[in-house]
Amino acid sequence: MGSTLSHCACSDLGETNEYEITLSHQVVSLVPEFNSEDGDINTITATFVTKLLQTAEHKLKSHEYTKSINLLQRATQLGSAKAAAKLGTIYSQGLNATIAQDFSTAAAYYFLALKLIMMIPCTSCYIWDLSLVLDIVVGLTDLYRRELNHHNEADTDIIDCGVKIMRCIDDKLRDPFFIRVLDFNDVQLQRAIRIHVNFCFAITFMMAGEIYESRMSFREVEAIGECGHENADLLVLKAREHIQWLDSQLPNFTDCALCKYAPTNLKDIKTLEICSKCQDVACCEECKSIHNSSCLGPLENTN
């Protein structure tokens, strides 16, 4: 495999000399080959993927869009999270008449990029490319905010999958071992990422009518607080607005007066029926007849 990569002849790569390639594992964000018997395979692969990324960018600027995408897909197949993230951005924004905007494909590439990043070891000597992770979750936040309101039923699995993957990212970013190796700038990046991720959780819950879970995630965004990254700081302000709106949507009664059934979904909360006699309690469908048969009206609550 190492020989194949190092001597690969690909006309689209041009004549870039090896000394012109800036090799950085963090920039490449490449999943390492752990099981290879070739000790140099990771360096060889990283060099080749770096060349693919550089050539893909050149093709993109030269308006050779199909060739650029093919090279990015090839780099993605070799484990490059950066290439997958770039494809996510391309499909999210569209590319002239060559690539139409495609929410599902963009989300799939963004999720793949996060999966690849999670496969990259994070140690005291090397941490993830947090700038890349932030770019990915910024793109996902835009998709969730722009598309979630009118997504197709077929996209539900994609959205749910994204929540699970972002939950894993959020858990990792809250790991004390992970946090202790971060410098100040990385901490600010970590906070910005967590703001975007939790905002995505919140709007997903909100669209599902899960008002309490949504409010909790917006509260988490507010608790993380402004971090110096403009997009994330705007979401903190938006979270506060959403919390106020959610609070205004909550009815006065949120559980059954008799069985204490307390639905968490706003749609189910609104099925609780307020007693027309006393106007002081609400009951679920099963308990309302029991309450109504014994309710004396508003006078029963006065002494």
Side-chain angles (χ1 to χ4, degrees), residues 86-149:
K86 183 67 175 180
L87 286 167
T89 301
I90 288 174
Y91 280 98
S92 175
Q93 299 174 353
L95 202 59
N96 292 339
T98 306
I99 297 293
Q101 285 184 309
D102 186 334
F103 164 68
S104 299
T105 301
Y109 273 118
Y110 280 139
F111 298 152
L112 176 58
L114 291 181
K115 286 183 178 181
L116 291 172
I117 286 171
M118 289 174 60
M119 295 173 65
I120 299 173
C122 188
T123 67
S124 58
C125 298
Y126 173 81
I127 63 170
W128 291 340
D129 183 353
L130 295 180
S131 294
L132 175 60
V133 179
L134 179 57
D135 288 342
I136 295 169
V137 296
V138 167
L140 282 172
T141 305
D142 182 57
L143 287 178
Y144 273 56
R145 295 179 68 185
R146 179 158 44 95
E147 301 292 341
L148 192 57
N149 285 327

Side-chain angles (χ1 to χ4, degrees), residues 21 31 46 53 66 148 181 217 247:
I21 298 175
V31 176
L53 292 172
T66 301
L148 192 57
V181 301
S217 293
D247 287 344

